[in-house]
Amino acid sequence: MIELRTPAEIEEMRPAGRFVADVLTRLAAEAAVGVNLLELDALAHEMITQRGATSCYIDYHPSFGAMPFGKVLCTSVNDAVLHGLPFDYRLRDGDLVSLDFAASVDGWVADSAVSVVVGRARPEDARLIEVTTAALDAGIAAAQSGSKVGDISAAIAAVATSAGYSINTDFGGHGVGRTMHGDPHIPNNGRAGRGYPLRPGLVVAVEPWFLQSTDEIYTDKDGWTLRSADGSRGAHMEHTIAITDDGPIVLTARG
């Protein structure tokens, strides 16, 4: 079911957005050579506790997950692009890591992701992150009242295809509110002018993710982490936004 939020409810969602943004800003700064993925997850857990927030991930067990997630942060490194289950791994120079985090504050959820390179970035990795960021910006810019979900999808796809990346539509954006995942689904490819109307009060996560040389993925033996079929690297960017008459509000804006 798709729910529309009142202006007052969107204001109530702002603290969740700010908290998620602050956590990702801190984690991105802490992601350095030698830092363990479990240390990043522990830091996110500590920040959740200090804020009195609730993790959206730790007990999450959808049909595509082998078991409850068990951690509070997704850490996808190099050929992993989504749902990366933190494990005992120390980041190395040149690693591309995507950090995906969602939490509930006062009953409202926000969801966001960012990709960074640890240490020295390879040119192809820097380009992948740049294109994925541009696709996120384009998707948000297309999220105007009176438009359609397909307008967001088409805007994201136009950036990806112009850069030579193919697109997987198995996972994409989604509604956000009292829970982390809701309707409507927002694929990263679609036809402009098609799909659910974007109305004031609709709150969604827009989340482009691309792989360097494939759109095929498989699930790692950990039962969660999604990796590229050919070993190429991936990047993932995401913001929670609210549709208003005056344009989209980015609830998880960082910085």
Side-chain angles (χ1 to χ4, degrees):
M1 181 176 69
I2 297 174
E3 297 182 86
L4 301 180
R5 306 299 175 185
T6 66
E9 286 177 323
I10 291 173
E11 289 301 309
E12 291 173 2
M13 296 184 77
R14 286 185 183 272
R18 284 195 296 270
F19 173 67
V20 167
D22 288 347
V23 170
L24 282 179
T25 298
R26 174 77 181 280
L27 293 173
E30 295 289 338
V33 174
V35 173
N36 197 300
L37 298 181
L38 295 176
E39 293 173 340
L40 293 176
D41 182 74
L43 175 57
H45 206 152
E46 178 184 356
M47 294 180 75
I48 288 171
T49 300
Q50 290 176 345
R51 180 60 177 82
T54 302
S55 170
C56 292
Y57 291 169
I58 197 162
D59 296 322
Y60 187 52
H61 190 188
S63 60
F64 55 80
M67 76 291 276
F69 191 72
K71 304 294 183 182
V72 301
L73 175 69
C74 291
T75 54
S76 302
V77 181
N78 296 334
D79 66 318
V81 66
L82 295 175
H83 308 162
L85 186 64
F87 66 104
D88 185 11
Y89 175 82
R90 293 194 177 277
L91 292 169
R92 302 169 183 172
D93 185 44
D95 277 347
L96 195 171
V97 57
S98 298
L99 306 168
D100 190 358
F101 180 72
S104 174
V105 175
D106 299 327
W108 294 106
V109 170
D111 189 5
S112 187
V114 63
S115 294
V116 297
V117 173
V118 175
R120 294 166 294 181
R122 303 189 303 187
E124 59 268 33
D125 293 343
R127 178 175 183 266
L128 179 64
I129 292 175
E130 180 181 0
V131 171
T132 310
T133 303
L136 174 61
D137 292 342
I140 293 172
Q144 302 293 330
S145 176
S147 296
K148 301 288 183 67
V149 162
D151 293 306
I152 298 176
S153 302
I156 290 171
V159 174
T161 56
S162 67
Y165 298 129
S166 56
I167 301 166
N168 179 297
T169 55
D170 291 344
F171 297 91
H174 50 86
V176 179
R178 293 292 188 181
T179 60
M180 177 173 58
H181 287 148
D183 293 327
H185 173 61
I186 305 176
N188 289 322
N189 195 0
R191 295 179 65 182
R194 299 293 184 90
Y196 184 80
L198 302 180
R199 299 169 178 164
L202 181 66
V203 180
V204 296
V206 177
E207 54 175 317
W209 60 276
F210 310 126
L211 298 161
Q212 287 171 333
S213 57
T214 186
D215 58 13
E216 296 183 10
I217 54 177
Y218 72 94
T219 304
D220 187 270
K221 63 183 179 181
D222 67 13
W224 272 99
T225 304
L226 296 179
R227 298 185 179 276
S228 67
D230 64 357
S232 63
R233 294 184 171 196
H236 176 203
M237 295 290 187
E238 177 183 17
H239 273 312
T240 296
I241 68 170
I243 309 298
T244 77
D245 285 323
D246 297 321
I249 297 173
V250 181
L251 296 172
T252 51
R254 296 181 292 273

